Structure formats: structure tokens, C-alpha cells
Amino acid sequence: MSVLSLETTPAEPSAARPAEDDLDVALDTFMAHRTRLFRIAYRVLGDVPGAEDVLQELWLRWQLTPRRRIENPAAFLTTAVNRLAINVVQSARHRHETPTEFQPVDLADRAQDPVQRVEQTMAIGEALALLMARLTPDELAAYVLRKGFDYAYADLAELLRTSVSNARQLVRRGQARLEGDRERPVPAESHRRLVAAFQAAVATGDLEALARLLAPEGHVHRRLSATPRSARPARTAA
């Protein structure tokens, strides 16, 4: 073999490696659409932990996807999150274990390290933003306190200055509205305050600040403290 042939023989191609900032770009793209993707997954699944699990799976798949070939990342991610959520719905495990109630407090159990705490805060924030966008103020108060903290209907009625039957109806209407798609703008400051009050109630068990924020004109029972639903025995009736 000649010297020339040695010099011109191409080397074996090395494994393709993403650019150093490729994952940063992928993360920026994913985070730009995360809230909308969460809402899509929640709309299909009907529960917050399930929707968050779907987004975790979607993020893993997005990292492994040849993204340079994708012309419309938003459309790709939307299609992917729909397929993943539908797969969960169709799985035998999901058919037997699907929660029937909104339980954002369950996410608190996931906060074992700083990264998971950030993910928990984001998931709770997205879930509460969805509630704020779709429910009336009274429905929001009734739904969050009842579904999140097992607030008694009699206390809800007193807080919201209504009857016990109307308090039950507010929770039912809230559930029905979540299954629709009509939404109103959510003020950023109101959302921030609700997330902070919600997390404080989860952390301390004190519902007073959260109840006052949800129903400023209502009568709050100072004696009440919160035990998240995830720590309570399951109930069969609403």
C-alpha cells in the first residue's frame, strides 16, 4: 500500500455526539411548553401525579430524540404527550388504580432532594394554575380545601356563607369544570400567593392562611388543622 493511500484512507466514523449546548437547548424548548403539556396530560389522565409522571417520561424521550430533524418541536411534544397519556389510560394498571379525585398534596411525598422539591413546586404550581383558570372563586375554595385537605362540608358552608348542600354542589361543579377546556387568564401574583399558601398548609398542617386567601370574606375556623388526603383512609363517598 502506498503512502498516499495510507494518508487518504478515511478513519472509521466516531459515534455522533450532541453539541455541548444541545441538551440545554432541549431543556429550554421543553420548559417553554411544559405548562401546556402538563395540562394536556392532566386532561387525559385526570390526576396530577399521573400527569407529572407522563411529563417525566416525555422529557426522557425528548432527550433521546434526534431533535435536529424535527421542524416543529411544539407539535412533536404535543403529539408525544397525548400518546403517552393515552397509553397510561389504556394500561391495565391504570384501569384498576386511576384516582377519582384531584390530590395535589400527594406530590409532597416526592420531595426527597432539591431537584425533586423543584419538580414538586412546579407540578403543584401547574395544577393550581389549572384550577384557577377553570373554576370560579367559590368552586376553587371548595375544591382545593375539600379534595386537598378533606375540609368538612359544614365548615366549607360556613366559610363560603352557604348551605352544606351548596358546598357539595360547588365541589361537584368544580370537578365537572376541570373536565372541560374553558379557561380564564390567571394573574401571576394571585397564583404565586396561592402556591405559597398551599405549600405552607401542606408543610405545617395549618389551614387558616390558605382558607383566608381562598375566601377572604368567609369565617375561618382557627381550630382546624390539615391532614393531607394522602395520609387519610380512603373514602368511597364524596
Side-chain angles (χ1 to χ4, degrees):
M1 184 179 294
S2 68
V3 174
L4 179 61
S5 64
L6 285 171
E7 292 176 348
T8 58
T9 301
E12 292 186 5
S14 58
R17 295 182 180 179
E20 290 183 3
D21 64 343
D22 189 48
L23 281 181
D24 290 337
V25 173
L27 179 60
D28 289 342
T29 301
F30 187 84
M31 295 305 295
H33 299 287
R34 192 182 192 281
T35 297
R36 183 174 57 83
L37 296 172
F38 176 88
R39 293 187 178 193
I40 292 171
Y42 178 81
R43 191 173 301 165
V44 174
L45 296 169
D47 72 279
V48 173
E52 187 65 18
D53 288 343
V54 164
L55 259 64
Q56 291 288 343
E57 177 65 21
L58 179 61
W59 166 238
L60 291 175
R61 296 194 180 199
W62 179 238
Q63 292 179 71
L64 300 175
T65 298
R67 294 177 294 278
R68 293 180 182 178
R69 302 179 187 176
I70 297 173
E71 296 181 0
N72 190 335
F76 176 89
L77 290 168
T78 298
T79 300
V81 77
N82 265 306
R83 288 177 178 172
L84 287 172
I86 290 171
N87 287 344
V88 172
V89 170
Q90 292 175 340
S91 70
R93 182 168 181 242
H94 183 83
R95 285 197 297 271
H96 290 293
E97 297 181 6
T98 300
T100 57
E101 296 182 345
F102 178 84
Q103 298 179 356
V105 183
D106 291 347
L107 292 169
D109 296 335
R110 297 182 174 191
Q112 301 299 320
D113 58 45
V115 173
Q116 287 179 313
R117 282 198 293 272
V118 171
E119 292 174 350
Q120 170 205 325
T121 299
M122 292 179 66
I124 289 176
E126 289 164 354
L128 291 175
L130 182 63
L131 292 178
M132 295 177 73
R134 295 190 179 180
L135 308 187
T136 67
D138 281 354
E139 289 167 354
L140 177 67
Y143 198 82
V144 168
L145 292 172
R146 179 63 183 176
K147 298 298 187 181
F149 300 97
D150 217 11
Y151 208 88
Y153 281 113
D155 293 330
L156 278 178
E158 187 168 358
L159 175 70
L160 299 174
R161 302 176 184 271
T162 187
S163 66
V164 171
S165 61
N166 283 344
R168 290 179 181 274
Q169 186 64 24
L170 285 169
V171 175
R172 294 193 195 99
R173 284 208 306 263
Q175 182 67 57
R177 286 183 191 274
L178 283 176
E179 297 170 2
D181 56 8
R182 297 185 62 181
E183 298 183 359
R184 65 176 64 84
V186 176
E189 178 60 20
S190 297
H191 176 250
R192 185 195 65 76
R193 291 173 59 199
L194 180 57
V195 171
F198 186 94
Q199 291 184 304
V202 172
T204 67
D206 186 353
L207 285 178
E208 183 178 344
L210 178 61
R212 288 193 182 282
L213 180 63
L214 288 167
E217 304 300 322
H219 181 272
V220 178
H221 284 267
R222 294 179 181 271
R223 61 180 173 79
L224 289 178
S225 60
T227 300
R229 290 188 60 90
S230 57
R232 292 177 179 266
R235 293 182 301 108
T236 57

